[in-house]
Structures are given as C-alpha cells and as structure tokens.
Amino acid sequence: EPEVTQTPSHQVTQMGQEVILRCVPISNHLYFYWYRQILGQKVEFLVSFYNNEISEKSEIFDDQFSVERPDGSNFTLKIRSTKLEDSAMYFCASSGRQGSEAFFGQGTRLTVV
Amino acid sequence: AQSVTQPDIHITVSEGASLELRCNYSYGATPYLFWYVQSPGQGLQLLLKYFSGDTLVQGIKGFEAEFKRSQSSFNLRKPSVHWSDAAEYFCAVAVYNQGGKLIFGQGTELSVKP
C-alpha cells in the first residue's frame, strides 16, 4: 500500500541552526502539506503546496520556514533558524485532489535545545 | 472562520462497551469531514471520511460516523470497543478553497478499561 514517508524520525538541533525535514509523498498525489503538533496540542496546518508553489500558508509559516519540491519525489520543509518553540512533531501529508483525504507520514519529532 | 470542536478531551470506556466521540464543526459550505486516529508516537491514520451522499459512513476498524447538517456534527461511533482502540482521535474539516487544508479539533484521548 502506498504511503508517505518522512525522514528523519527524530532530529535534535541547537537553537539557531537550520533544519531540513524530508518527505516522500505518495507518487501520484498532487497536493502536499506540512502540519505540526506541539506536544499535547492539536495538529496545526502550516502550508499547502500544489503545482510547484505554495497555495496556502498559515500565520505560523513565517519567513523562517520554506518548502521545496526539489525533484519529482521529495517534498522538504526548511526551518532557517530554529527556536525553542519550534520543537514539535512535524507531519507531511499528501492527497490526490484538493479537499480529498490526506495521507499522513509518521512524522518527524524535532527537538530544539 | 472554519473551526472544529471536540468537546471531550478524555474519555474512558470499558472494553466491549459502545463508544461515541463528539465532533462539531463550523463551515460555510458543504463540509468534507474526516476522522483520524493517532496511536502514541505514530502518525495520523484515516478512519473514515464524509464528502456527500449517505450521511452514515463506515470506516476501518469497525468505526462509523454520522453527519448531521442540522446539528453541525460528525460524531464517531463504535458498537464494541477493543483495548487496541485506545488512542487519540481527531476530527477534521477540509477547507476546499484554501488548498484543501485540514482544520483539526483538539482531539479526544480514548482510554479502554479491561
């Protein structure tokens, strides 16, 4: 069964460092998303990506965040200068069409120290 | 603005008992609604979805949900809970004209007593 894969599963980084979270969406999907879940809180939307550009972003997704689809299979989230409050589980998701069910990866737990 | 409310933060049921998890949404148009389940340390797994048509939808693992437009609700049910159902359950609505993003409720943590 096709699935969304994310790497790494856990990343520890020092405050101020750049991190790149990687995702391989389901191959025939067209819509890609990043969400985050701070420990004990709900899942929050960060950004959606379609046709090689951002289609929607939340107020959380400020200038320190960026997304890229560098090739036909990967979808990355970059955080330029991490802060303590960026510590969270980051989920990548993909869907075949807008508004349809999204399939989630297992997540990357980012810990900023 | 669109929103999803799950009034129950934590529910405990006995194994074999029935379950209903509540979800209310606020959305201006016909909603696309979902229930996801998250086991500890795991990702989000889709349980079921509602797009249109029959308001009672069946999902995986014996779950079902009923869409009630008049009550803006999409409650999740299971007739007989198993210990393996212990997890966090999230209701979500898709915002079609905003890239299809999902807005999630706060989640309901389900504990199952033996």
Side-chain angles (χ1 to χ4, degrees):
Chain A
E1 184 177 320
E3 60 180 16
V4 177
T5 57
Q6 290 185 243
T7 54
S9 56
H10 191 185
Q11 177 144 5
V12 181
T13 189
Q14 290 203 324
M15 193 169 51
Q17 295 296 303
E18 174 183 286
V19 295
I20 297 176
L21 309 183
R22 303 181 190 279
C23 170
V24 179
I26 294 173
S27 62
N28 61 347
H29 282 183
L30 301 175
Y31 295 85
F32 313 113
Y33 308 87
W34 284 101
Y35 293 82
R36 79 172 185 189
Q37 184 182 31
I38 294 171
L39 189 64
Q41 298 186 23
K42 69 177 178 180
V43 179
E44 301 173 288
F45 168 78
L46 291 178
V47 65
S48 59
F49 192 86
Y50 170 72
N51 200 25
N52 283 319
E53 60 183 25
I54 291 173
S55 50
E56 183 74 20
K57 61 183 181 180
S58 73
E59 58 191 27
I60 302 168
F61 194 88
D62 60 23
D63 291 344
Q64 71 160 340
F65 290 93
S66 62
V67 290
E68 195 177 34
R69 188 154 161 81
D71 52 42
S73 58
N74 291 284
F75 180 51
T76 62
L77 173 69
K78 182 192 291 186
I79 310 175
R80 258 181 278 283
S81 177
T82 51
K83 305 173 201 164
L84 294 176
E85 54 264 37
D86 293 327
S87 295
M89 182 75 93
Y90 288 81
F91 291 107
C92 174
S94 69
S95 66
R97 59 184 176 88
Q98 190 177 190
S100 69
E101 64 266 40
F103 293 87
F104 284 76
Q106 294 288 85
T108 293
R109 178 163 297 285
L110 176 66
T111 303
V112 182
V113 296
Chain B
Q2 306 91 356
S3 66
V4 176
T5 302
Q6 293 179 244
D8 305 304
I9 295 172
H10 191 186
I11 284 183
T12 300
V13 299
S14 297
E15 191 167 16
S18 64
L19 170 70
E20 182 168 28
L21 302 183
R22 295 183 291 164
C23 171
N24 292 98
Y25 67 90
S26 173
Y27 189 66
T30 300
Y32 293 175
L33 294 160
F34 307 87
W35 275 98
Y36 285 86
V37 61
Q38 183 183 33
S39 298
Q42 299 295 308
L44 296 159
Q45 182 183 22
L46 179 70
L47 281 177
L48 47 75
K49 61 186 185 242
Y50 172 79
F51 290 160
S52 64
D54 194 347
T55 56
L56 184 64
V57 293
Q58 303 296 321
I60 62 171
K61 305 184 181 188
F63 285 93
E64 66 178 27
E66 186 171 13
F67 170 63
K68 293 186 177 179
R69 186 187 298 275
S70 61
Q71 298 177 19
S72 298
S73 69
F74 188 56
N75 294 347
L76 181 71
R77 301 195 293 248
K78 186 169 184 178
S80 177
V81 167
H82 188 262
W83 63 267
S84 60
D85 293 325
E88 185 111 25
Y89 291 80
F90 292 95
C91 181
V93 63
V95 185
Y96 185 83
N97 62 350
Q98 292 182 20
K101 71 179 185 184
L102 293 174
I103 295 174
F104 285 87
Q106 290 283 86
T108 298
E109 184 180 355
L110 173 66
S111 298
V112 180
K113 290 190 301 188

PDB file of all heavy atoms in Angstrom, chain A residues 34-66:
ATOM      1  N   TRP A  34       2.331  20.374   5.000  1.00  0.00           N
ATOM      2  CA  TRP A  34       3.031  20.212   6.269  1.00  0.00           C
ATOM      3  C   TRP A  34       2.124  20.685   7.389  1.00  0.00           C
ATOM      4  O   TRP A  34       1.481  21.725   7.276  1.00  0.00           O
ATOM      5  CB  TRP A  34       4.339  21.000   6.303  1.00  0.00           C
ATOM      6  CG  TRP A  34       5.445  20.373   5.508  1.00  0.00           C
ATOM      7  CD1 TRP A  34       5.871  20.726   4.272  1.00  0.00           C
ATOM      8  CD2 TRP A  34       6.280  19.278   5.910  1.00  0.00           C
ATOM      9  NE1 TRP A  34       6.904  19.920   3.870  1.00  0.00           N
ATOM     10  CE2 TRP A  34       7.178  19.026   4.859  1.00  0.00           C
ATOM     11  CE3 TRP A  34       6.369  18.487   7.069  1.00  0.00           C
ATOM     12  CZ2 TRP A  34       8.143  18.023   4.925  1.00  0.00           C
ATOM     13  CZ3 TRP A  34       7.328  17.497   7.128  1.00  0.00           C
ATOM     14  CH2 TRP A  34       8.199  17.273   6.060  1.00  0.00           C
ATOM     15  N   TYR A  35       2.119  19.873   8.437  1.00  0.00           N
ATOM     16  CA  TYR A  35       1.402  20.197   9.662  1.00  0.00           C
ATOM     17  C   TYR A  35       2.371  20.039  10.820  1.00  0.00           C
ATOM     18  O   TYR A  35       3.385  19.341  10.705  1.00  0.00           O
ATOM     19  CB  TYR A  35       0.224  19.243   9.887  1.00  0.00           C
ATOM     20  CG  TYR A  35      -0.895  19.373   8.890  1.00  0.00           C
ATOM     21  CD1 TYR A  35      -0.836  18.747   7.646  1.00  0.00           C
ATOM     22  CD2 TYR A  35      -2.042  20.114   9.193  1.00  0.00           C
ATOM     23  CE1 TYR A  35      -1.869  18.865   6.722  1.00  0.00           C
ATOM     24  CE2 TYR A  35      -3.085  20.234   8.285  1.00  0.00           C
ATOM     25  CZ  TYR A  35      -2.987  19.600   7.052  1.00  0.00           C
ATOM     26  OH  TYR A  35      -4.023  19.722   6.157  1.00  0.00           O
ATOM     27  N   ARG A  36       2.031  20.656  11.946  1.00  0.00           N
ATOM     28  CA  ARG A  36       2.847  20.392  13.125  1.00  0.00           C
ATOM     29  C   ARG A  36       1.930  20.174  14.328  1.00  0.00           C
ATOM     30  O   ARG A  36       0.771  20.627  14.357  1.00  0.00           O
ATOM     31  CB  ARG A  36       3.814  21.533  13.409  1.00  0.00           C
ATOM     32  CG  ARG A  36       3.199  22.728  14.089  1.00  0.00           C
ATOM     33  CD  ARG A  36       4.240  23.735  14.520  1.00  0.00           C
ATOM     34  NE  ARG A  36       3.597  24.806  15.278  1.00  0.00           N
ATOM     35  CZ  ARG A  36       4.205  25.922  15.640  1.00  0.00           C
ATOM     36  NH1 ARG A  36       5.478  26.118  15.310  1.00  0.00           N
ATOM     37  NH2 ARG A  36       3.571  26.827  16.331  1.00  0.00           N
ATOM     38  N   GLN A  37       2.491  19.466  15.298  1.00  0.00           N
ATOM     39  CA  GLN A  37       1.748  19.181  16.517  1.00  0.00           C
ATOM     40  C   GLN A  37       2.693  19.371  17.693  1.00  0.00           C
ATOM     41  O   GLN A  37       3.601  18.559  17.914  1.00  0.00           O
ATOM     42  CB  GLN A  37       1.197  17.756  16.493  1.00  0.00           C
ATOM     43  CG  GLN A  37       0.337  17.406  17.690  1.00  0.00           C
ATOM     44  CD  GLN A  37      -0.150  15.964  17.651  1.00  0.00           C
ATOM     45  OE1 GLN A  37       0.521  15.079  17.121  1.00  0.00           O
ATOM     46  NE2 GLN A  37      -1.336  15.725  18.197  1.00  0.00           N
ATOM     47  N   ILE A  38       2.502  20.474  18.384  1.00  0.00           N
ATOM     48  CA  ILE A  38       3.252  20.686  19.619  1.00  0.00           C
ATOM     49  C   ILE A  38       2.718  19.707  20.654  1.00  0.00           C
ATOM     50  O   ILE A  38       1.505  19.425  20.686  1.00  0.00           O
ATOM     51  CB  ILE A  38       3.114  22.142  20.087  1.00  0.00           C
ATOM     52  CG1 ILE A  38       3.789  23.066  19.064  1.00  0.00           C
ATOM     53  CG2 ILE A  38       3.697  22.347  21.468  1.00  0.00           C
ATOM     54  CD1 ILE A  38       3.560  24.538  19.287  1.00  0.00           C
ATOM     55  N   LEU A  39       3.614  19.201  21.502  1.00  0.00           N
ATOM     56  CA  LEU A  39       3.250  18.153  22.445  1.00  0.00           C
ATOM     57  C   LEU A  39       1.997  18.503  23.237  1.00  0.00           C
ATOM     58  O   LEU A  39       1.914  19.570  23.851  1.00  0.00           O
ATOM     59  CB  LEU A  39       4.431  17.914  23.403  1.00  0.00           C
ATOM     60  CG  LEU A  39       4.302  16.712  24.321  1.00  0.00           C
ATOM     61  CD1 LEU A  39       4.259  15.416  23.527  1.00  0.00           C
ATOM     62  CD2 LEU A  39       5.458  16.669  25.321  1.00  0.00           C
ATOM     63  N   GLY A  40       1.020  17.634  23.171  1.00  0.00           N
ATOM     64  CA  GLY A  40      -0.204  17.828  23.945  1.00  0.00           C
ATOM     65  C   GLY A  40      -1.228  18.740  23.300  1.00  0.00           C
ATOM     66  O   GLY A  40      -2.282  18.982  23.891  1.00  0.00           O
ATOM     67  N   GLN A  41      -0.904  19.244  22.124  1.00  0.00           N
ATOM     68  CA  GLN A  41      -1.821  20.170  21.464  1.00  0.00           C
ATOM     69  C   GLN A  41      -2.362  19.570  20.168  1.00  0.00           C
ATOM     70  O   GLN A  41      -2.010  18.464  19.785  1.00  0.00           O
ATOM     71  CB  GLN A  41      -1.109  21.497  21.190  1.00  0.00           C
ATOM     72  CG  GLN A  41      -0.656  22.193  22.466  1.00  0.00           C
ATOM     73  CD  GLN A  41      -0.077  23.564  22.189  1.00  0.00           C
ATOM     74  OE1 GLN A  41      -0.372  24.191  21.169  1.00  0.00           O
ATOM     75  NE2 GLN A  41       0.740  24.054  23.100  1.00  0.00           N
ATOM     76  N   LYS A  42      -3.214  20.321  19.521  1.00  0.00           N
ATOM     77  CA  LYS A  42      -3.824  19.781  18.311  1.00  0.00           C
ATOM     78  C   LYS A  42      -2.895  19.928  17.115  1.00  0.00           C
ATOM     79  O   LYS A  42      -1.888  20.628  17.164  1.00  0.00           O
ATOM     80  CB  LYS A  42      -5.156  20.456  18.039  1.00  0.00           C
ATOM     81  CG  LYS A  42      -5.074  21.908  17.638  1.00  0.00           C
ATOM     82  CD  LYS A  42      -6.474  22.430  17.333  1.00  0.00           C
ATOM     83  CE  LYS A  42      -6.457  23.886  16.965  1.00  0.00           C
ATOM     84  NZ  LYS A  42      -7.830  24.389  16.674  1.00  0.00           N
ATOM     85  N   VAL A  43      -3.252  19.253  16.056  1.00  0.00           N
ATOM     86  CA  VAL A  43      -2.495  19.317  14.816  1.00  0.00           C
ATOM     87  C   VAL A  43      -2.833  20.639  14.110  1.00  0.00           C
ATOM     88  O   VAL A  43      -4.004  20.969  13.923  1.00  0.00           O
ATOM     89  CB  VAL A  43      -2.864  18.120  13.912  1.00  0.00           C
ATOM     90  CG1 VAL A  43      -2.094  18.187  12.614  1.00  0.00           C
ATOM     91  CG2 VAL A  43      -2.582  16.808  14.641  1.00  0.00           C
ATOM     92  N   GLU A  44      -1.781  21.369  13.727  1.00  0.00           N
ATOM     93  CA  GLU A  44      -1.970  22.685  13.101  1.00  0.00           C
ATOM     94  C   GLU A  44      -1.435  22.689  11.675  1.00  0.00           C
ATOM     95  O   GLU A  44      -0.330  22.196  11.419  1.00  0.00           O
ATOM     96  CB  GLU A  44      -1.201  23.762  13.873  1.00  0.00           C
ATOM     97  CG  GLU A  44      -1.570  23.913  15.325  1.00  0.00           C
ATOM     98  CD  GLU A  44      -0.637  24.886  16.017  1.00  0.00           C
ATOM     99  OE1 GLU A  44       0.540  24.545  16.250  1.00  0.00           O
ATOM    100  OE2 GLU A  44      -1.087  26.016  16.308  1.00  0.00           O
ATOM    101  N   PHE A  45      -2.181  23.272  10.799  1.00  0.00           N
ATOM    102  CA  PHE A  45      -1.767  23.415   9.405  1.00  0.00           C
ATOM    103  C   PHE A  45      -0.638  24.435   9.292  1.00  0.00           C
ATOM    104  O   PHE A  45      -0.678  25.502   9.909  1.00  0.00           O
ATOM    105  CB  PHE A  45      -2.972  23.868   8.580  1.00  0.00           C
ATOM    106  CG  PHE A  45      -2.651  24.341   7.193  1.00  0.00           C
ATOM    107  CD1 PHE A  45      -2.392  23.435   6.182  1.00  0.00           C
ATOM    108  CD2 PHE A  45      -2.612  25.697   6.904  1.00  0.00           C
ATOM    109  CE1 PHE A  45      -2.104  23.871   4.902  1.00  0.00           C
ATOM    110  CE2 PHE A  45      -2.324  26.145   5.628  1.00  0.00           C
ATOM    111  CZ  PHE A  45      -2.071  25.233   4.623  1.00  0.00           C
ATOM    112  N   LEU A  46       0.367  24.101   8.488  1.00  0.00           N
ATOM    113  CA  LEU A  46       1.443  25.046   8.200  1.00  0.00           C
ATOM    114  C   LEU A  46       1.333  25.580   6.768  1.00  0.00           C
ATOM    115  O   LEU A  46       1.273  26.793   6.558  1.00  0.00           O
ATOM    116  CB  LEU A  46       2.816  24.390   8.378  1.00  0.00           C
ATOM    117  CG  LEU A  46       3.243  24.032   9.789  1.00  0.00           C
ATOM    118  CD1 LEU A  46       4.603  23.335   9.761  1.00  0.00           C
ATOM    119  CD2 LEU A  46       3.319  25.272  10.658  1.00  0.00           C
ATOM    120  N   VAL A  47       1.324  24.662   5.801  1.00  0.00           N
ATOM    121  CA  VAL A  47       1.422  25.096   4.416  1.00  0.00           C
ATOM    122  C   VAL A  47       0.881  24.009   3.491  1.00  0.00           C
ATOM    123  O   VAL A  47       0.954  22.827   3.806  1.00  0.00           O
ATOM    124  CB  VAL A  47       2.894  25.425   4.075  1.00  0.00           C
ATOM    125  CG1 VAL A  47       3.760  24.171   4.154  1.00  0.00           C
ATOM    126  CG2 VAL A  47       3.044  26.105   2.739  1.00  0.00           C
ATOM    127  N   SER A  48       0.318  24.449   2.373  1.00  0.00           N
ATOM    128  CA  SER A  48      -0.062  23.526   1.313  1.00  0.00           C
ATOM    129  C   SER A  48       0.674  23.921   0.040  1.00  0.00           C
ATOM    130  O   SER A  48       0.993  25.104  -0.166  1.00  0.00           O
ATOM    131  CB  SER A  48      -1.571  23.510   1.088  1.00  0.00           C
ATOM    132  OG  SER A  48      -2.044  24.791   0.739  1.00  0.00           O
ATOM    133  N   PHE A  49       0.912  22.948  -0.807  1.00  0.00           N
ATOM    134  CA  PHE A  49       1.777  23.136  -1.977  1.00  0.00           C
ATOM    135  C   PHE A  49       1.173  22.386  -3.137  1.00  0.00           C
ATOM    136  O   PHE A  49       0.823  21.206  -3.023  1.00  0.00           O
ATOM    137  CB  PHE A  49       3.159  22.561  -1.621  1.00  0.00           C
ATOM    138  CG  PHE A  49       4.270  22.895  -2.564  1.00  0.00           C
ATOM    139  CD1 PHE A  49       4.971  24.074  -2.417  1.00  0.00           C
ATOM    140  CD2 PHE A  49       4.646  22.017  -3.565  1.00  0.00           C
ATOM    141  CE1 PHE A  49       6.031  24.388  -3.258  1.00  0.00           C
ATOM    142  CE2 PHE A  49       5.703  22.311  -4.412  1.00  0.00           C
ATOM    143  CZ  PHE A  49       6.398  23.495  -4.255  1.00  0.00           C
ATOM    144  N   TYR A  50       1.026  23.090  -4.253  1.00  0.00           N
ATOM    145  CA  TYR A  50       0.439  22.483  -5.450  1.00  0.00           C
ATOM    146  C   TYR A  50       1.057  23.118  -6.669  1.00  0.00           C
ATOM    147  O   TYR A  50       1.249  24.338  -6.712  1.00  0.00           O
ATOM    148  CB  TYR A  50      -1.084  22.666  -5.444  1.00  0.00           C
ATOM    149  CG  TYR A  50      -1.751  22.292  -6.744  1.00  0.00           C
ATOM    150  CD1 TYR A  50      -1.853  20.958  -7.124  1.00  0.00           C
ATOM    151  CD2 TYR A  50      -2.268  23.273  -7.602  1.00  0.00           C
ATOM    152  CE1 TYR A  50      -2.462  20.603  -8.316  1.00  0.00           C
ATOM    153  CE2 TYR A  50      -2.867  22.919  -8.789  1.00  0.00           C
ATOM    154  CZ  TYR A  50      -2.974  21.587  -9.142  1.00  0.00           C
ATOM    155  OH  TYR A  50      -3.573  21.236 -10.329  1.00  0.00           O
ATOM    156  N   ASN A  51       1.351  22.319  -7.648  1.00  0.00           N
ATOM    157  CA  ASN A  51       1.873  22.815  -8.916  1.00  0.00           C
ATOM    158  C   ASN A  51       3.121  23.677  -8.702  1.00  0.00           C
ATOM    159  O   ASN A  51       3.261  24.750  -9.303  1.00  0.00           O
ATOM    160  CB  ASN A  51       0.778  23.629  -9.635  1.00  0.00           C
ATOM    161  CG  ASN A  51       1.027  23.765 -11.115  1.00  0.00           C
ATOM    162  OD1 ASN A  51       1.703  22.929 -11.724  1.00  0.00           O
ATOM    163  ND2 ASN A  51       0.499  24.818 -11.708  1.00  0.00           N
ATOM    164  N   ASN A  52       3.969  23.188  -7.825  1.00  0.00           N
ATOM    165  CA  ASN A  52       5.265  23.810  -7.552  1.00  0.00           C
ATOM    166  C   ASN A  52       5.192  25.183  -6.919  1.00  0.00           C
ATOM    167  O   ASN A  52       6.134  25.989  -7.051  1.00  0.00           O
ATOM    168  CB  ASN A  52       6.133  23.884  -8.819  1.00  0.00           C
ATOM    169  CG  ASN A  52       6.735  22.542  -9.157  1.00  0.00           C
ATOM    170  OD1 ASN A  52       7.175  21.810  -8.273  1.00  0.00           O
ATOM    171  ND2 ASN A  52       6.735  22.199 -10.427  1.00  0.00           N
ATOM    172  N   GLU A  53       4.088  25.460  -6.241  1.00  0.00           N
ATOM    173  CA  GLU A  53       4.046  26.701  -5.495  1.00  0.00           C
ATOM    174  C   GLU A  53       3.145  26.549  -4.277  1.00  0.00           C
ATOM    175  O   GLU A  53       2.300  25.654  -4.220  1.00  0.00           O
ATOM    176  CB  GLU A  53       3.581  27.869  -6.370  1.00  0.00           C
ATOM    177  CG  GLU A  53       2.201  27.705  -6.960  1.00  0.00           C
ATOM    178  CD  GLU A  53       1.837  28.873  -7.868  1.00  0.00           C
ATOM    179  OE1 GLU A  53       2.751  29.528  -8.399  1.00  0.00           O
ATOM    180  OE2 GLU A  53       0.633  29.129  -8.013  1.00  0.00           O
ATOM    181  N   ILE A  54       3.357  27.441  -3.326  1.00  0.00           N
ATOM    182  CA  ILE A  54       2.536  27.439  -2.125  1.00  0.00           C
ATOM    183  C   ILE A  54       1.134  27.899  -2.493  1.00  0.00           C
ATOM    184  O   ILE A  54       0.956  28.937  -3.147  1.00  0.00           O
ATOM    185  CB  ILE A  54       3.148  28.359  -1.052  1.00  0.00           C
ATOM    186  CG1 ILE A  54       4.447  27.755  -0.516  1.00  0.00           C
ATOM    187  CG2 ILE A  54       2.161  28.581   0.081  1.00  0.00           C
ATOM    188  CD1 ILE A  54       5.204  28.668   0.429  1.00  0.00           C
ATOM    189  N   SER A  55       0.135  27.128  -2.093  1.00  0.00           N
ATOM    190  CA  SER A  55      -1.246  27.517  -2.365  1.00  0.00           C
ATOM    191  C   SER A  55      -1.907  28.146  -1.136  1.00  0.00           C
ATOM    192  O   SER A  55      -2.846  28.924  -1.269  1.00  0.00           O
ATOM    193  CB  SER A  55      -2.069  26.331  -2.854  1.00  0.00           C
ATOM    194  OG  SER A  55      -1.918  25.215  -2.006  1.00  0.00           O
ATOM    195  N   GLU A  56      -1.420  27.821   0.036  1.00  0.00           N
ATOM    196  CA  GLU A  56      -1.973  28.387   1.251  1.00  0.00           C
ATOM    197  C   GLU A  56      -0.939  28.230   2.354  1.00  0.00           C
ATOM    198  O   GLU A  56      -0.214  27.237   2.384  1.00  0.00           O
ATOM    199  CB  GLU A  56      -3.267  27.656   1.635  1.00  0.00           C
ATOM    200  CG  GLU A  56      -3.999  28.186   2.847  1.00  0.00           C
ATOM    201  CD  GLU A  56      -4.717  29.494   2.609  1.00  0.00           C
ATOM    202  OE1 GLU A  56      -4.978  29.809   1.432  1.00  0.00           O
ATOM    203  OE2 GLU A  56      -5.015  30.187   3.592  1.00  0.00           O
ATOM    204  N   LYS A  57      -0.862  29.207   3.226  1.00  0.00           N
ATOM    205  CA  LYS A  57       0.013  29.068   4.379  1.00  0.00           C
ATOM    206  C   LYS A  57      -0.642  29.707   5.594  1.00  0.00           C
ATOM    207  O   LYS A  57      -1.446  30.627   5.472  1.00  0.00           O
ATOM    208  CB  LYS A  57       1.390  29.684   4.121  1.00  0.00           C
ATOM    209  CG  LYS A  57       1.365  31.164   3.813  1.00  0.00           C
ATOM    210  CD  LYS A  57       2.776  31.660   3.505  1.00  0.00           C
ATOM    211  CE  LYS A  57       2.763  33.151   3.213  1.00  0.00           C
ATOM    212  NZ  LYS A  57       4.125  33.662   2.916  1.00  0.00           N
ATOM    213  N   SER A  58      -0.283  29.206   6.758  1.00  0.00           N
ATOM    214  CA  SER A  58      -0.846  29.737   7.984  1.00  0.00           C
ATOM    215  C   SER A  58       0.045  30.858   8.508  1.00  0.00           C
ATOM    216  O   SER A  58       1.161  31.078   8.019  1.00  0.00           O
ATOM    217  CB  SER A  58      -0.974  28.631   9.028  1.00  0.00           C
ATOM    218  OG  SER A  58       0.301  28.290   9.530  1.00  0.00           O
ATOM    219  N   GLU A  59      -0.454  31.522   9.530  1.00  0.00           N
ATOM    220  CA  GLU A  59       0.342  32.611  10.134  1.00  0.00           C
ATOM    221  C   GLU A  59       1.579  32.066  10.848  1.00  0.00           C
ATOM    222  O   GLU A  59       2.521  32.789  11.114  1.00  0.00           O
ATOM    223  CB  GLU A  59      -0.529  33.419  11.089  1.00  0.00           C
ATOM    224  CG  GLU A  59      -1.151  32.609  12.214  1.00  0.00           C
ATOM    225  CD  GLU A  59      -2.217  33.387  12.972  1.00  0.00           C
ATOM    226  OE1 GLU A  59      -2.829  34.291  12.379  1.00  0.00           O
ATOM    227  OE2 GLU A  59      -2.443  33.061  14.147  1.00  0.00           O
ATOM    228  N   ILE A  60       1.567  30.761  11.150  1.00  0.00           N
ATOM    229  CA  ILE A  60       2.747  30.154  11.763  1.00  0.00           C
ATOM    230  C   ILE A  60       3.892  30.126  10.749  1.00  0.00           C
ATOM    231  O   ILE A  60       5.060  30.268  11.104  1.00  0.00           O
ATOM    232  CB  ILE A  60       2.443  28.708  12.211  1.00  0.00           C
ATOM    233  CG1 ILE A  60       1.274  28.672  13.182  1.00  0.00           C
ATOM    234  CG2 ILE A  60       3.671  28.047  12.808  1.00  0.00           C
ATOM    235  CD1 ILE A  60       0.749  27.275  13.427  1.00  0.00           C
ATOM    236  N   PHE A  61       3.568  29.956   9.509  1.00  0.00           N
ATOM    237  CA  PHE A  61       4.545  29.771   8.434  1.00  0.00           C
ATOM    238  C   PHE A  61       5.114  31.126   8.052  1.00  0.00           C
ATOM    239  O   PHE A  61       4.719  31.738   7.049  1.00  0.00           O
ATOM    240  CB  PHE A  61       3.860  29.092   7.237  1.00  0.00           C
ATOM    241  CG  PHE A  61       4.818  28.546   6.214  1.00  0.00           C
ATOM    242  CD1 PHE A  61       5.321  27.271   6.343  1.00  0.00           C
ATOM    243  CD2 PHE A  61       5.187  29.298   5.122  1.00  0.00           C
ATOM    244  CE1 PHE A  61       6.190  26.751   5.404  1.00  0.00           C
ATOM    245  CE2 PHE A  61       6.060  28.798   4.166  1.00  0.00           C
ATOM    246  CZ  PHE A  61       6.554  27.521   4.308  1.00  0.00           C
ATOM    247  N   ASP A  62       6.049  31.596   8.880  1.00  0.00           N
ATOM    248  CA  ASP A  62       6.636  32.916   8.612  1.00  0.00           C
ATOM    249  C   ASP A  62       7.906  32.770   7.782  1.00  0.00           C
ATOM    250  O   ASP A  62       8.173  31.704   7.224  1.00  0.00           O
ATOM    251  CB  ASP A  62       6.888  33.643   9.935  1.00  0.00           C
ATOM    252  CG  ASP A  62       7.851  32.889  10.852  1.00  0.00           C
ATOM    253  OD1 ASP A  62       8.647  32.070  10.335  1.00  0.00           O
ATOM    254  OD2 ASP A  62       7.816  33.120  12.061  1.00  0.00           O
ATOM    255  N   ASP A  63       8.674  33.833   7.717  1.00  0.00           N
ATOM    256  CA  ASP A  63       9.832  33.866   6.811  1.00  0.00           C
ATOM    257  C   ASP A  63      10.917  32.855   7.154  1.00  0.00           C
ATOM    258  O   ASP A  63      11.808  32.614   6.340  1.00  0.00           O
ATOM    259  CB  ASP A  63      10.440  35.273   6.795  1.00  0.00           C
ATOM    260  CG  ASP A  63       9.529  36.273   6.127  1.00  0.00           C
ATOM    261  OD1 ASP A  63       8.594  35.825   5.429  1.00  0.00           O
ATOM    262  OD2 ASP A  63       9.746  37.487   6.302  1.00  0.00           O
ATOM    263  N   GLN A  64      10.883  32.303   8.342  1.00  0.00           N
ATOM    264  CA  GLN A  64      11.916  31.332   8.680  1.00  0.00           C
ATOM    265  C   GLN A  64      11.604  29.952   8.088  1.00  0.00           C
ATOM    266  O   GLN A  64      12.452  29.060   8.101  1.00  0.00           O
ATOM    267  CB  GLN A  64      12.084  31.226  10.198  1.00  0.00           C
ATOM    268  CG  GLN A  64      10.942  30.562  10.927  1.00  0.00           C
ATOM    269  CD  GLN A  64      11.349  30.057  12.303  1.00  0.00           C
ATOM    270  OE1 GLN A  64      12.513  29.861  12.598  1.00  0.00           O
ATOM    271  NE2 GLN A  64      10.364  29.824  13.168  1.00  0.00           N
ATOM    272  N   PHE A  65      10.402  29.770   7.587  1.00  0.00           N
ATOM    273  CA  PHE A  65      10.012  28.498   7.002  1.00  0.00           C
ATOM    274  C   PHE A  65      10.032  28.591   5.481  1.00  0.00           C
ATOM    275  O   PHE A  65       9.708  29.651   4.904  1.00  0.00           O
ATOM    276  CB  PHE A  65       8.585  28.121   7.430  1.00  0.00           C
ATOM    277  CG  PHE A  65       8.435  27.739   8.873  1.00  0.00           C
ATOM    278  CD1 PHE A  65       8.095  28.698   9.814  1.00  0.00           C
ATOM    279  CD2 PHE A  65       8.607  26.431   9.285  1.00  0.00           C
ATOM    280  CE1 PHE A  65       7.943  28.349  11.158  1.00  0.00           C
ATOM    281  CE2 PHE A  65       8.446  26.076  10.620  1.00  0.00           C
ATOM    282  CZ  PHE A  65       8.121  27.039  11.549  1.00  0.00           C
ATOM    283  N   SER A  66      10.372  27.497   4.843  1.00  0.00           N
ATOM    284  CA  SER A  66      10.230  27.416   3.394  1.00  0.00           C
ATOM    285  C   SER A  66       9.991  25.953   3.017  1.00  0.00           C
ATOM    286  O   SER A  66      10.333  25.047   3.769  1.00  0.00           O
ATOM    287  CB  SER A  66      11.470  27.965   2.676  1.00  0.00           C
ATOM    288  OG  SER A  66      12.611  27.213   2.999  1.00  0.00           O
TER     289      SER A  66
END
